[in-house]
Amino acid sequence: MAKYHWQSQNVKQSGVDDMVLLSKITEDAIVENLKKRYMDDYIFTYIGPVLISVNPFKQMPYFSDREIELYQGAAQYENPPHIYALTDNMYRNMMIEGENQCVIISGESGAGKTVAAKYIMGYISKVSGGGAKVQHVKDIILQSNPLLEAFGNAKTVRNNNSSRFGKYFEIQFSRGGEPDGGKISNFLLEKSRVVSQNDSERNFHIYYQLIEGASAEQKEALGIMTPDYYFYLNQSGTYKVDGTNDSKDFHETMEAMQVIGIPGDVRTQVLQIIAGILHLGNITFVEAGNYGQVESMDLLAFPAYLLAIDPNRLQEKLTSRKMDSKWGGKSESIDVTLNKEQANYTRDALAKALYTRVFDYLVEAINKAIQKPHEEFSIGVLDIYGFEIFQRNGFEQFCINFVNEKLQQIFIELTLKAEQEEYVQEGIKWTAIQYFNNKIVCDLIENKLNPPGVMSVLDDVCATMHAKGEGADGTLLQKLQAAVGTHEHFNSWNSGFVIHHYAGKVSYDINGFCERNRDVLFPDLIELMQSSSHDFIRFLFPENINTDKKSRPTTAGSKIKRQANDLVNTLMKCTPHYIRCIKPNETKRPKDWEESRVKHQVEYLGLRENIRVRRAGFAYRRVFTKFIQRYAILTAETWPRWRGPEQQGVLHLLRSVNMDNDQYQMGRTKVFVKNPESLFLLEEMRERKFDTFARTIQKAYRRYIARKKYEQMREEASDILYNSKERRKNSINRNFVGDYLGLEQRPELRQFLAKRERVDFADSVNKFDRRFKSIKRDLILTPKGIYLIGREQVKKGPEKGQIKEVLKRKLEFGSISGISLSTKQDDFFILHEAQYDSLLESNFKTEFLSLMSKRYEDVTRRKLAISFTDRLEFRVKKEGWGGGGSRVVTFQNGIGDQAQLKTSGKTLTITIGNGLPKSSKPTRKGAQQTRGGGRNHTARKAHQNGATQFSRRTKQTDIMYSSPQKHGKPPQTALPKLDFQRTPRIPTHNHSSSGNMDFLNVPDEGMSGKQRKQSVGQRPPPAPKPQPHPQGPRCRALYQYVGQDTDEISFEFNDVFDLVKEDPSGWWTGRIRGREGLFPGNYVEKI
């Protein structure tokens, strides 16, 4: 049935989805494949489990709820490559294996890493369940993105929304897979951007958001001017970014702060600090006799006001500094006046400190809002600044590129090195594949000794620096030349040094390296901020400045080195997944493909080596014990425990699912499975087994509650017709089944529904056209609407002449105005809709009406209008020039239970005999009831065939319906939840007696079921005397029925057997295979 696969969209094939399948493995072939897909708007491509993502520089159409539904629970190879497939795989791995997962998103600046992280978080939020508390956590996780982007992202030359900090976001889950907590670790905010930017770049987004989005009152209170007024914003001459609405983003940022739980007064003070930093930057200094002094005292007032500090103290701390002087064993404090350059440096240091501490506070606020006391499972998303090369590369670029170097090392370690080493250790036949290992570059940067790395030399120079540290950078360059000058990945140049990174050579300007690495905030400035009258500002500066600090202060370099190594350790404890982002151009325009740029990225990301290892390697490997534990349920020999050597147990399981020998290899301690498809086969069969057992448990539970539930449903359904319509005597007490079409085994009908769309009701109905001609239609009711499906002959193409299912009509609940029925016992009803009406006939109209009313009310929040009259009018569809107008259906009393139809022009007359009174209700059940033969029967078990059993009486004198006096008004209780409705019997020939769950059993279960039925049929009948076959009437089974008591018979769909006796209760007596017993009359037709 592949042509009816639920993924029925026609996906244009463009290149290969998985580059493991490339016929030639060269850089050129990889680039050509990526280009072909990119130009056809396919931005995702696989290399086995690794996802390659090319930045499209535009919004793509395939990130909707439809795609989320499509990828949820699907195997990777079932759909086109997508970030949702990788995320779903991660989420399912976490749940199945009980192991923490992480995704490492790498690529250069502007390659699309931040957007990829957002899609991952969005997908997890959509597919994971949870109540109000979980929803709150989800909201915070999603709202953390706009907040941290506002304060941590900026426009650079390479990227309009560049992350200027690193972020590892752990989403924590409960055992049930609900996100109930989280934690953010942030790395190295590029704080130098607060005070200076390169040409064509911007400061952090929040500044421009505040200027554009603040209200008039806020602007007045914060002294907001145009951006060119502020020195901290006007150095680059760039204020706007294409496609960015700073005003709208400001409101999103403020809303995010509110959702995260930051109090209103703190939100106000955060904005005061941001504005205060801008005003601080406008304080300028002039040289007066080698000393710096404030040029305009007026410019001191506003930043002092916003930061709630004394303007005179602000002036003092910007132009002088306290220094400790030791003389003759005594220590005294003296004030040193600063020169102009030192005053500018002090002002900038204060601005950077304020901004960094606000940013750290925001990260901590998010963490507090979603922290949980103990960790269970987690998925980590690493979104970190990309590898970057600018015209001038300073200390920040050095740190950023070092972290990227470490990430590349993880990728090499786990995908190229560790995987190959594992094959050798396990004795798998393997030819080694060569690759560049960038550990040599990491060591050059971070080594402690022999030789010391760049960071160690830098820290040593900083330890001996004095005050401002003039000349320290020159000393650093000399010491680097001495320590690592001969290293093949290091060179010097007149203004700094060059490192040969995995992604290319980068020239670093040594100017400012030592100062930025030292990262010291003078005690005077801390003291100044602690004098603020704002609680929040004092909270941001908690240091005790009177405590003597004997130890060497932590440098920025050593901090980022420690964070990078901690990050690597965290990632190594998780099961890693990889997204390799590629930037196709520098113009930031869609469909612009720079061949040489992409080829360079393909080379340094090691994609060719990755393909070669993946092609020769194995997609899945598991220790024997874990493999047996996971798949033991597949065979009787391994469940609950395998008694024998583990290796033999693994082989037994693989053979039980008929896996080809070339699809797996046995190592010394692990089994290796080559393709994901083979693994998915195992998973699918395991799920089927569990599904069968789960359904058996559900069945037992439903037996317990179904009797009351279905009785209540029947009564509530009959309330709709109560005192309005006559009832049929053989249907008033019948079981509700719901799906009379067996949709689980009808993919040709299911193709019109969404992948997981629930079916409330499905039946084959008669539909009458404008000439009252009857035609069969399949009617399907779901929570999304009503589908009417017909059949047509294909007129052209390769399937010409074949009969195909066609969706004739889909009715949304909002467009339905009501339903009309007659007062007689017939099965006709009219669906009234905005465009035109539909006249339909269904044996199960009461059940349909009941479910339709419930769904209609759920969706529209109003009652469904149902009218009863013996003259019905309906509008017909307008066709061509003529058509339209209306038709009339009238109902008259006649004889018999079958409706007689007579057409006259635009009127259809339906004649039918009297049914049960309009006040009829389903029979209520007593605890014990007597049936023919005088036997006593205890209350029955719930019905296995999709509903509870109803009371059955064989005496004609028993009352078959209840009088209104006995029961009063119809009950007001709502219909039970649809979750309790049983899945229907599927009218198919080869059903075993296990019921409607057979389609989920392992494939060969059908044959065993068949053999089981045959063996049951060969047993001698329980009655001692075989009875002669009467020559009476016979009937054919419309559905399968499995007897629930000793006095009931069972039959399969289409079985023909003797009808011994009909009973008005709906329980008839029949004889099949020599056995006589009771069965529900509505499951058969007389022949």
Side-chain angles (χ1 to χ4, degrees), residues 48 165 184 232 247 320 435 438 460 464 498 557 560 615 721 823 850 860-861 976 1062:
F165 71 107
I184 296 176
Y232 282 167
S247 176
S320 67
Y435 57 91
N438 73 324
D460 284 343
T464 57
V498 177
I560 194 70
R615 198 157 165 168
L721 308 182
T823 63
S850 160
T860 65
R861 300 281 179 252
E1062 291 182 57

Side-chain angles (χ1 to χ4, degrees), residues 5 21 77 153 205 216 245 255 325 356 470 659 695 714 720 833 923 962 978 1062-1063 1072 1077 1080:
H5 191 275
L21 304 173
Y77 59 84
N153 288 28
H205 294 325
N245 184 335
E255 186 190 337
S325 171
T356 307
E470 289 93 343
M659 193 178 288
R695 286 166 185 265
R714 275 202 314 275
I720 297 171
E833 199 259 353
T923 310
S962 324
L978 292 168
E1062 291 182 57
D1063 193 285
I1072 184 168

Side-chain angles (χ1 to χ4, degrees), residues 137-195:
V137 170
K138 287 182 184 180
D139 289 342
I140 293 171
I141 289 170
L142 295 177
Q143 288 292 345
S144 69
N145 280 323
L147 180 59
L148 293 181
E149 277 189 25
F151 284 84
N153 288 28
K155 179 199 182 320
T156 67
V157 178
R158 291 180 167 271
N159 182 1
N160 287 346
N161 185 31
S162 177
S163 299
R164 307 317 297 163
F165 71 107
K167 171 178 77 174
Y168 183 61
F169 202 139
E170 275 181 90
I171 306 170
Q172 293 165 347
F173 294 84
S174 66
R175 297 268 162 197
E178 297 163 341
D180 58 355
K183 187 171 76 180
I184 296 176
S185 307
N186 63 307
F187 313 98
L188 187 77
L189 180 73
E190 187 196 29
K191 55 189 175 185
S192 63
R193 184 167 294 273
V194 175
V195 299

Side-chain angles (χ1 to χ4, degrees), residues 887-925:
R887 301 290 183 270
V888 175
V889 185
T890 60
F891 294 83
Q892 297 177 356
N893 279 338
I895 301 167
D897 293 338
Q898 297 299 315
Q900 306 296 319
L901 279 62
K902 186 178 179 184
T903 306
S904 174
K906 294 184 177 181
T907 303
L908 173 69
T909 304
I910 297 172
T911 309
I912 192 165
N914 291 333
L916 297 177
K918 294 175 186 176
S919 56
S920 303
K921 300 271 271 179
T923 310
R924 289 182 178 268
K925 299 174 185 43

